[in-house]
Amino acid sequence: MRKILVVGAGQSGLQLALGLQSHGYEVTLMSNRTADEIRSGRVMSTQCMFDTALQHERDLQLNFWESQAPKIEGLGVSVAAPGSHDPGPTQRAIDWVGRLDGYAQSVDQRVKMAGWMETFEQRGGQLVIHGAAVGDLDYFSRTYDLVLVSAGKGELVQMFARDPGRSPYSEPQRALAVAYVHGVGPRPEHPDYDAVRSNLVPGVGELFVMPTLTTSGRADILFLEGVPGGPLDVFNGVKDPSEHLSLTLELMKKFVPWEYARAMKAELTDAGGVLSGRYAPTVRNPVGRLPSGGLVLGVADVVVANDPITGQGANSASKCAAAYLASILDHGEKEFDEEWMLGTFDRYWEMAQHVTKWTNAMLAPPPEHVLNLMGAAGELQPVANRFANAFDNPADFENFFYEPEKTQAYLGSVAGA
């Protein structure tokens, strides 16, 4: 039986560990926290997983919370009118919602990772609670057939060199602030179904509102992305959770009053329901070399870390785990050498490159043809629906988003139909 070590117990690490376990591999999982510590700790992320990523969980019978989590049936875009920050519906230059072909869902990673970790142990997996350093991996690499690193922060990431050709940004492009809350009402435009709402304030940043399942049941995530140095970049040094929420609501009232109107009575789900920070979007070389010469393979965020502006982090982690699992199964009993590692990453990059291209494009001011596309989605429902479903399949943006000629041809074909 082949022995595999997975370092890091996030979406990708746990999904991969449980997938390998279900195929008879002897898997050890390293986590720096216990399931109870994760469940009772601070939120780790925002996440909205679309149909393809959810299907990877269903395939492994890991969709434990599917019946409980809100079914997100749409994705809406609102763009603030330039120069106006007074309350009122006229403030929106663009406002529409697209319907998803298959619903999306969000489960607080505190709930999911704690539950999956307990399942991994119950199924006979070896769980090691220990923060891993490079020296630990150097030791373990001699006793395992393969070491997978899915811990996206800290010393281990430094083993994987930045790929400058695929990493156009060297600095963070957004300041991030998250609050998990109860008490948000429905959007009046679609009171009968849930949708993720993306609110864009040109030159200032973005606010996302997404329904989720958290430790205390149904909730909503308020997620601000501020242009560094701008009016939303004010959370550095805010330690008190209630102050964090007050500041969030204050900014919503000023910049996205239509969302503030349904969130003004919001209360934090718990004291751990806030998060803030920033990081530079980075693609890294997938193979890490240990001091002894041993090799490790980077997974998901370790090797492709995109800004969360397009909501792809958990989706990409799930798709990476699925691609790596398939590559490991296909490889049989052969050695996991550097050539195989590079080929395995390339298998993932075929999908991930589209996410990186789209996300980096969304961090820049939108060109005129993209604004025209977003505006047309408010008049033509098929355009809104296609835009929404491209969140599940970002490769589709190649067909109608980046090049003015393709955008124009697509809009012409829809208008003609």
Side-chain angles (χ1 to χ4, degrees):
M1 188 185 297
R2 309 205 80 178
K3 294 176 65 178
I4 295 179
L5 173 65
V6 179
V7 182
Q11 173 76 39
S12 55
L14 272 161
Q15 183 182 318
L16 195 45
L18 285 155
L20 289 165
Q21 187 183 52
S22 70
H23 285 278
Y25 288 80
E26 187 179 326
V27 185
T28 299
L29 177 69
M30 287 188 77
S31 169
N32 62 353
R33 292 189 294 167
T34 66
D36 285 341
E37 286 170 340
I38 290 170
R39 191 180 282 116
S40 62
R42 182 185 289 270
V43 292
M44 297 178 279
S45 67
T46 61
Q47 62 288 309
C48 179
M49 298 186 67
F50 295 92
D51 188 54
T52 301
L54 292 177
Q55 190 58 48
H56 291 317
E57 296 186 358
R58 295 181 192 117
D59 291 344
L60 295 172
Q61 299 180 323
L62 297 174
N63 55 326
F64 302 153
W65 302 276
E66 187 158 6
S67 63
Q68 302 166 50
K71 289 181 168 55
I72 298 168
E73 297 179 46
L75 187 136
V77 172
S78 303
V79 180
S84 169
H85 298 309
D86 297 321
T90 56
Q91 201 188 3
R92 282 169 277 181
I94 293 171
D95 191 78
W96 50 261
V97 62
R99 297 299 294 261
L100 294 168
D101 293 339
Y103 60 78
Q105 289 191 305
S106 171
V107 178
D108 183 343
Q109 291 197 343
R110 295 178 297 180
V111 173
K112 183 189 284 187
M113 302 317 148
W116 278 2
M117 194 182 289
E118 289 165 348
T119 299
F120 175 76
E121 273 200 293
Q122 289 161 7
R123 293 178 180 176
Q126 183 179 2
L127 178 64
V128 177
I129 305 300
H130 192 275
V134 172
D136 299 314
L137 299 196
D138 216 22
Y139 171 78
F140 285 125
S141 67
R142 298 165 197 155
T143 55
Y144 287 90
D145 297 300
L146 176 63
V147 176
L148 299 160
V149 178
S150 65
K153 298 183 179 71
E155 175 190 332
L156 298 185
V157 178
Q158 304 310 312
M159 285 194 297
F160 303 92
R162 179 174 178 270
D163 183 340
R166 291 171 171 171
S167 305
Y169 298 116
S170 57
E171 301 292 333
Q173 297 301 298
R174 292 293 187 274
L176 315 173
V178 174
Y180 278 58
V181 296
H182 292 306
V184 173
R187 274 283 287 245
E189 300 93 328
H190 48 84
D192 300 329
Y193 66 90
D194 281 315
V196 171
R197 299 299 313 205
S198 305
N199 301 276
L200 285 61
V201 185
V204 175
E206 298 81 24
L207 168 78
F208 302 92
V209 183
M210 63 192 81
T212 192
L213 176 72
T214 186
T215 51
S216 50
R218 157 76 194 236
D220 286 271
I221 302 170
L222 308 176
F223 176 32
L224 286 167
E225 290 223 356
V227 173
L232 303 186
D233 183 7
V234 289
F235 288 87
N236 192 25
V238 176
K239 303 296 183 192
D240 180 67
S242 59
E243 184 185 347
H244 182 113
L245 177 60
S246 296
L247 193 50
T248 299
L249 294 174
E250 201 177 295
L251 293 166
M252 288 174 66
K253 185 177 183 179
K254 181 174 182 181
F255 292 104
V256 285
W258 58 90
E259 292 288 18
Y260 174 75
R262 66 185 180 121
M264 62 174 73
K265 295 181 179 176
E267 298 179 349
L268 288 176
T269 56
D270 61 285
V274 298
L275 185 67
S276 62
R278 68 189 75 205
Y279 61 89
T282 308
V283 178
R284 297 181 178 89
N285 296 324
V287 180
R289 196 172 299 276
L290 298 165
S292 64
L295 303 178
V296 298
L297 177 60
V299 183
D301 278 3
V302 170
V303 285
V304 184
N306 292 302
D307 188 279
I309 192 169
T310 53
Q312 295 298 303
N315 293 276
S316 294
S318 175
K319 292 172 181 178
C320 181
Y324 279 26
L325 175 61
S327 186
I328 291 167
L329 297 178
D330 290 347
H331 201 57
E333 294 297 314
K334 290 175 281 189
E335 182 188 353
F336 296 113
D337 57 14
E338 186 168 9
E339 182 182 359
W340 174 84
M341 290 182 178
L342 292 170
T344 296
F345 173 75
D346 287 344
R347 188 172 185 160
Y348 169 52
W349 182 247
E350 283 179 27
M351 298 175 280
Q353 64 179 323
H354 299 294
V355 175
T356 297
K357 181 177 180 178
W358 173 44
T359 303
N360 289 342
M362 289 299 290
L363 288 168
E368 185 179 359
H369 75 276
V370 169
L371 287 174
N372 291 340
L373 175 69
M374 289 187 174
E379 307 295 326
L380 301 164
Q381 191 60 41
V383 177
N385 294 346
R386 186 169 187 181
F387 198 97
N389 284 287
F391 277 72
D392 184 40
N393 176 29
D396 189 37
F397 281 116
E398 291 285 350
N399 301 315
F400 69 96
F401 184 82
Y402 301 110
E403 297 169 35
E405 299 78 14
K406 287 185 178 180
T407 300
Q408 190 174 351
Y410 167 61
L411 293 179
S413 70
V414 175

PDB file of all heavy atoms in Angstrom, residues 87-88 92 183-188 249 252-253 256-266:
ATOM      1  N   PRO A  87     -27.703  57.724  -0.473  1.00  0.00           N
ATOM      2  CA  PRO A  87     -28.623  56.585  -0.529  1.00  0.00           C
ATOM      3  C   PRO A  87     -29.678  56.758  -1.615  1.00  0.00           C
ATOM      4  O   PRO A  87     -30.085  57.858  -1.935  1.00  0.00           O
ATOM      5  CB  PRO A  87     -29.261  56.592   0.868  1.00  0.00           C
ATOM      6  CG  PRO A  87     -28.268  57.292   1.735  1.00  0.00           C
ATOM      7  CD  PRO A  87     -27.624  58.320   0.872  1.00  0.00           C
ATOM      8  N   GLY A  88     -30.086  55.623  -2.172  1.00  0.00           N
ATOM      9  CA  GLY A  88     -31.158  55.659  -3.159  1.00  0.00           C
ATOM     10  C   GLY A  88     -30.879  54.759  -4.335  1.00  0.00           C
ATOM     11  O   GLY A  88     -29.732  54.521  -4.684  1.00  0.00           O
ATOM     12  N   ARG A  92     -27.257  53.141  -8.625  1.00  0.00           N
ATOM     13  CA  ARG A  92     -26.759  51.992  -9.361  1.00  0.00           C
ATOM     14  C   ARG A  92     -26.803  52.248 -10.865  1.00  0.00           C
ATOM     15  O   ARG A  92     -27.870  52.421 -11.436  1.00  0.00           O
ATOM     16  CB  ARG A  92     -27.568  50.750  -9.022  1.00  0.00           C
ATOM     17  CG  ARG A  92     -27.197  50.148  -7.687  1.00  0.00           C
ATOM     18  CD  ARG A  92     -28.184  49.092  -7.236  1.00  0.00           C
ATOM     19  NE  ARG A  92     -29.338  49.699  -6.587  1.00  0.00           N
ATOM     20  CZ  ARG A  92     -30.353  49.010  -6.086  1.00  0.00           C
ATOM     21  NH1 ARG A  92     -30.348  47.687  -6.171  1.00  0.00           N
ATOM     22  NH2 ARG A  92     -31.370  49.614  -5.504  1.00  0.00           N
ATOM     23  N   GLY A 183     -29.229  38.162  10.370  1.00  0.00           N
ATOM     24  CA  GLY A 183     -30.121  39.311  10.331  1.00  0.00           C
ATOM     25  C   GLY A 183     -30.131  40.090   9.033  1.00  0.00           C
ATOM     26  O   GLY A 183     -30.677  41.194   8.989  1.00  0.00           O
ATOM     27  N   VAL A 184     -29.543  39.543   7.959  1.00  0.00           N
ATOM     28  CA  VAL A 184     -29.594  40.205   6.652  1.00  0.00           C
ATOM     29  C   VAL A 184     -30.860  39.760   5.929  1.00  0.00           C
ATOM     30  O   VAL A 184     -31.126  38.563   5.807  1.00  0.00           O
ATOM     31  CB  VAL A 184     -28.353  39.875   5.805  1.00  0.00           C
ATOM     32  CG1 VAL A 184     -28.486  40.431   4.392  1.00  0.00           C
ATOM     33  CG2 VAL A 184     -27.101  40.427   6.466  1.00  0.00           C
ATOM     34  N   GLY A 185     -31.642  40.722   5.456  1.00  0.00           N
ATOM     35  CA  GLY A 185     -32.861  40.390   4.725  1.00  0.00           C
ATOM     36  C   GLY A 185     -32.576  40.036   3.277  1.00  0.00           C
ATOM     37  O   GLY A 185     -31.452  40.184   2.789  1.00  0.00           O
ATOM     38  N   PRO A 186     -33.594  39.593   2.533  1.00  0.00           N
ATOM     39  CA  PRO A 186     -33.410  39.255   1.119  1.00  0.00           C
ATOM     40  C   PRO A 186     -33.263  40.506   0.262  1.00  0.00           C
ATOM     41  O   PRO A 186     -33.682  41.597   0.652  1.00  0.00           O
ATOM     42  CB  PRO A 186     -34.703  38.512   0.762  1.00  0.00           C
ATOM     43  CG  PRO A 186     -35.714  39.052   1.720  1.00  0.00           C
ATOM     44  CD  PRO A 186     -34.974  39.358   2.991  1.00  0.00           C
ATOM     45  N   ARG A 187     -32.657  40.346  -0.913  1.00  0.00           N
ATOM     46  CA  ARG A 187     -32.648  41.448  -1.873  1.00  0.00           C
ATOM     47  C   ARG A 187     -34.065  41.567  -2.438  1.00  0.00           C
ATOM     48  O   ARG A 187     -34.649  40.572  -2.884  1.00  0.00           O
ATOM     49  CB  ARG A 187     -31.659  41.169  -3.008  1.00  0.00           C
ATOM     50  CG  ARG A 187     -30.227  41.579  -2.757  1.00  0.00           C
ATOM     51  CD  ARG A 187     -29.955  43.072  -2.888  1.00  0.00           C
ATOM     52  NE  ARG A 187     -29.956  43.552  -4.257  1.00  0.00           N
ATOM     53  CZ  ARG A 187     -28.881  44.056  -4.870  1.00  0.00           C
ATOM     54  NH1 ARG A 187     -27.728  44.154  -4.251  1.00  0.00           N
ATOM     55  NH2 ARG A 187     -28.974  44.488  -6.115  1.00  0.00           N
ATOM     56  N   PRO A 188     -34.637  42.769  -2.433  1.00  0.00           N
ATOM     57  CA  PRO A 188     -36.023  42.909  -2.889  1.00  0.00           C
ATOM     58  C   PRO A 188     -36.242  42.510  -4.344  1.00  0.00           C
ATOM     59  O   PRO A 188     -37.358  42.159  -4.731  1.00  0.00           O
ATOM     60  CB  PRO A 188     -36.322  44.405  -2.672  1.00  0.00           C
ATOM     61  CG  PRO A 188     -34.998  45.062  -2.481  1.00  0.00           C
ATOM     62  CD  PRO A 188     -34.080  44.035  -1.936  1.00  0.00           C
ATOM     63  N   LEU A 249     -20.586  48.146   8.312  1.00  0.00           N
ATOM     64  CA  LEU A 249     -21.914  48.702   8.046  1.00  0.00           C
ATOM     65  C   LEU A 249     -21.842  50.184   7.675  1.00  0.00           C
ATOM     66  O   LEU A 249     -22.576  50.661   6.804  1.00  0.00           O
ATOM     67  CB  LEU A 249     -22.828  48.486   9.255  1.00  0.00           C
ATOM     68  CG  LEU A 249     -23.160  47.021   9.568  1.00  0.00           C
ATOM     69  CD1 LEU A 249     -23.942  46.906  10.869  1.00  0.00           C
ATOM     70  CD2 LEU A 249     -23.933  46.373   8.421  1.00  0.00           C
ATOM     71  N   MET A 252     -20.756  50.311   4.128  1.00  0.00           N
ATOM     72  CA  MET A 252     -21.854  49.887   3.266  1.00  0.00           C
ATOM     73  C   MET A 252     -22.878  51.011   3.106  1.00  0.00           C
ATOM     74  O   MET A 252     -23.381  51.261   2.008  1.00  0.00           O
ATOM     75  CB  MET A 252     -22.534  48.642   3.850  1.00  0.00           C
ATOM     76  CG  MET A 252     -21.712  47.381   3.731  1.00  0.00           C
ATOM     77  SD  MET A 252     -22.466  45.964   4.587  1.00  0.00           S
ATOM     78  CE  MET A 252     -23.951  45.706   3.606  1.00  0.00           C
ATOM     79  N   LYS A 253     -23.173  51.683   4.202  1.00  0.00           N
ATOM     80  CA  LYS A 253     -24.149  52.781   4.155  1.00  0.00           C
ATOM     81  C   LYS A 253     -23.691  53.875   3.202  1.00  0.00           C
ATOM     82  O   LYS A 253     -24.498  54.453   2.451  1.00  0.00           O
ATOM     83  CB  LYS A 253     -24.349  53.345   5.568  1.00  0.00           C
ATOM     84  CG  LYS A 253     -25.437  54.405   5.657  1.00  0.00           C
ATOM     85  CD  LYS A 253     -25.630  54.850   7.100  1.00  0.00           C
ATOM     86  CE  LYS A 253     -26.777  55.851   7.219  1.00  0.00           C
ATOM     87  NZ  LYS A 253     -26.978  56.266   8.641  1.00  0.00           N
ATOM     88  N   VAL A 256     -22.567  51.440  -0.678  1.00  0.00           N
ATOM     89  CA  VAL A 256     -23.549  50.516  -1.282  1.00  0.00           C
ATOM     90  C   VAL A 256     -24.837  50.555  -0.444  1.00  0.00           C
ATOM     91  O   VAL A 256     -25.211  49.559   0.173  1.00  0.00           O
ATOM     92  CB  VAL A 256     -22.992  49.078  -1.398  1.00  0.00           C
ATOM     93  CG1 VAL A 256     -21.993  48.973  -2.535  1.00  0.00           C
ATOM     94  CG2 VAL A 256     -22.335  48.609  -0.106  1.00  0.00           C
ATOM     95  N   PRO A 257     -25.526  51.697  -0.406  1.00  0.00           N
ATOM     96  CA  PRO A 257     -26.675  51.846   0.478  1.00  0.00           C
ATOM     97  C   PRO A 257     -27.804  50.858   0.206  1.00  0.00           C
ATOM     98  O   PRO A 257     -28.561  50.518   1.124  1.00  0.00           O
ATOM     99  CB  PRO A 257     -27.129  53.293   0.234  1.00  0.00           C
ATOM    100  CG  PRO A 257     -26.528  53.680  -1.079  1.00  0.00           C
ATOM    101  CD  PRO A 257     -25.241  52.925  -1.181  1.00  0.00           C
ATOM    102  N   TRP A 258     -27.914  50.369  -1.035  1.00  0.00           N
ATOM    103  CA  TRP A 258     -28.950  49.372  -1.334  1.00  0.00           C
ATOM    104  C   TRP A 258     -28.694  48.057  -0.599  1.00  0.00           C
ATOM    105  O   TRP A 258     -29.626  47.333  -0.287  1.00  0.00           O
ATOM    106  CB  TRP A 258     -29.054  49.160  -2.844  1.00  0.00           C
ATOM    107  CG  TRP A 258     -27.771  48.717  -3.499  1.00  0.00           C
ATOM    108  CD1 TRP A 258     -27.350  47.436  -3.689  1.00  0.00           C
ATOM    109  CD2 TRP A 258     -26.746  49.557  -4.036  1.00  0.00           C
ATOM    110  NE1 TRP A 258     -26.118  47.416  -4.298  1.00  0.00           N
ATOM    111  CE2 TRP A 258     -25.730  48.706  -4.538  1.00  0.00           C
ATOM    112  CE3 TRP A 258     -26.577  50.940  -4.148  1.00  0.00           C
ATOM    113  CZ2 TRP A 258     -24.568  49.200  -5.138  1.00  0.00           C
ATOM    114  CZ3 TRP A 258     -25.431  51.429  -4.759  1.00  0.00           C
ATOM    115  CH2 TRP A 258     -24.444  50.563  -5.247  1.00  0.00           C
ATOM    116  N   GLU A 259     -27.431  47.739  -0.318  1.00  0.00           N
ATOM    117  CA  GLU A 259     -27.126  46.552   0.489  1.00  0.00           C
ATOM    118  C   GLU A 259     -27.239  46.868   1.977  1.00  0.00           C
ATOM    119  O   GLU A 259     -27.693  46.036   2.768  1.00  0.00           O
ATOM    120  CB  GLU A 259     -25.710  46.032   0.160  1.00  0.00           C
ATOM    121  CG  GLU A 259     -25.548  45.456  -1.227  1.00  0.00           C
ATOM    122  CD  GLU A 259     -26.234  44.101  -1.415  1.00  0.00           C
ATOM    123  OE1 GLU A 259     -27.118  43.737  -0.614  1.00  0.00           O
ATOM    124  OE2 GLU A 259     -25.876  43.417  -2.387  1.00  0.00           O
ATOM    125  N   TYR A 260     -26.842  48.062   2.360  1.00  0.00           N
ATOM    126  CA  TYR A 260     -26.975  48.468   3.763  1.00  0.00           C
ATOM    127  C   TYR A 260     -28.428  48.401   4.208  1.00  0.00           C
ATOM    128  O   TYR A 260     -28.723  48.014   5.353  1.00  0.00           O
ATOM    129  CB  TYR A 260     -26.429  49.882   3.961  1.00  0.00           C
ATOM    130  CG  TYR A 260     -26.657  50.422   5.355  1.00  0.00           C
ATOM    131  CD1 TYR A 260     -25.892  49.964   6.430  1.00  0.00           C
ATOM    132  CD2 TYR A 260     -27.655  51.362   5.605  1.00  0.00           C
ATOM    133  CE1 TYR A 260     -26.113  50.442   7.711  1.00  0.00           C
ATOM    134  CE2 TYR A 260     -27.884  51.848   6.887  1.00  0.00           C
ATOM    135  CZ  TYR A 260     -27.109  51.383   7.937  1.00  0.00           C
ATOM    136  OH  TYR A 260     -27.338  51.844   9.212  1.00  0.00           O
ATOM    137  N   ALA A 261     -29.352  48.709   3.301  1.00  0.00           N
ATOM    138  CA  ALA A 261     -30.775  48.738   3.651  1.00  0.00           C
ATOM    139  C   ALA A 261     -31.266  47.396   4.188  1.00  0.00           C
ATOM    140  O   ALA A 261     -32.156  47.350   5.037  1.00  0.00           O
ATOM    141  CB  ALA A 261     -31.596  49.143   2.431  1.00  0.00           C
ATOM    142  N   ARG A 262     -30.675  46.294   3.718  1.00  0.00           N
ATOM    143  CA  ARG A 262     -31.117  44.978   4.210  1.00  0.00           C
ATOM    144  C   ARG A 262     -30.187  44.422   5.291  1.00  0.00           C
ATOM    145  O   ARG A 262     -30.438  43.351   5.840  1.00  0.00           O
ATOM    146  CB  ARG A 262     -31.249  43.993   3.059  1.00  0.00           C
ATOM    147  CG  ARG A 262     -29.938  43.615   2.350  1.00  0.00           C
ATOM    148  CD  ARG A 262     -30.239  42.723   1.155  1.00  0.00           C
ATOM    149  NE  ARG A 262     -29.045  42.326   0.418  1.00  0.00           N
ATOM    150  CZ  ARG A 262     -28.663  41.062   0.220  1.00  0.00           C
ATOM    151  NH1 ARG A 262     -29.377  40.062   0.710  1.00  0.00           N
ATOM    152  NH2 ARG A 262     -27.591  40.794  -0.476  1.00  0.00           N
ATOM    153  N   ALA A 263     -29.095  45.140   5.575  1.00  0.00           N
ATOM    154  CA  ALA A 263     -28.101  44.632   6.528  1.00  0.00           C
ATOM    155  C   ALA A 263     -27.957  45.506   7.763  1.00  0.00           C
ATOM    156  O   ALA A 263     -27.158  45.187   8.647  1.00  0.00           O
ATOM    157  CB  ALA A 263     -26.744  44.502   5.840  1.00  0.00           C
ATOM    158  N   MET A 264     -28.735  46.579   7.874  1.00  0.00           N
ATOM    159  CA  MET A 264     -28.508  47.545   8.955  1.00  0.00           C
ATOM    160  C   MET A 264     -28.713  46.944  10.349  1.00  0.00           C
ATOM    161  O   MET A 264     -28.163  47.445  11.315  1.00  0.00           O
ATOM    162  CB  MET A 264     -29.393  48.781   8.763  1.00  0.00           C
ATOM    163  CG  MET A 264     -30.882  48.515   8.800  1.00  0.00           C
ATOM    164  SD  MET A 264     -31.851  50.055   8.748  1.00  0.00           S
ATOM    165  CE  MET A 264     -31.649  50.553   7.048  1.00  0.00           C
ATOM    166  N   LYS A 265     -29.494  45.861  10.441  1.00  0.00           N
ATOM    167  CA  LYS A 265     -29.733  45.228  11.745  1.00  0.00           C
ATOM    168  C   LYS A 265     -28.875  43.972  11.940  1.00  0.00           C
ATOM    169  O   LYS A 265     -29.119  43.189  12.851  1.00  0.00           O
ATOM    170  CB  LYS A 265     -31.211  44.880  11.889  1.00  0.00           C
ATOM    171  CG  LYS A 265     -32.120  46.111  11.916  1.00  0.00           C
ATOM    172  CD  LYS A 265     -33.572  45.738  12.085  1.00  0.00           C
ATOM    173  CE  LYS A 265     -34.450  46.991  12.122  1.00  0.00           C
ATOM    174  NZ  LYS A 265     -35.892  46.646  12.201  1.00  0.00           N
ATOM    175  N   ALA A 266     -27.881  43.806  11.101  1.00  0.00           N
ATOM    176  CA  ALA A 266     -27.051  42.600  11.172  1.00  0.00           C
ATOM    177  C   ALA A 266     -26.274  42.529  12.479  1.00  0.00           C
ATOM    178  O   ALA A 266     -25.834  43.542  13.027  1.00  0.00           O
ATOM    179  CB  ALA A 266     -26.071  42.580   9.995  1.00  0.00           C
TER     180      ALA A 266
END
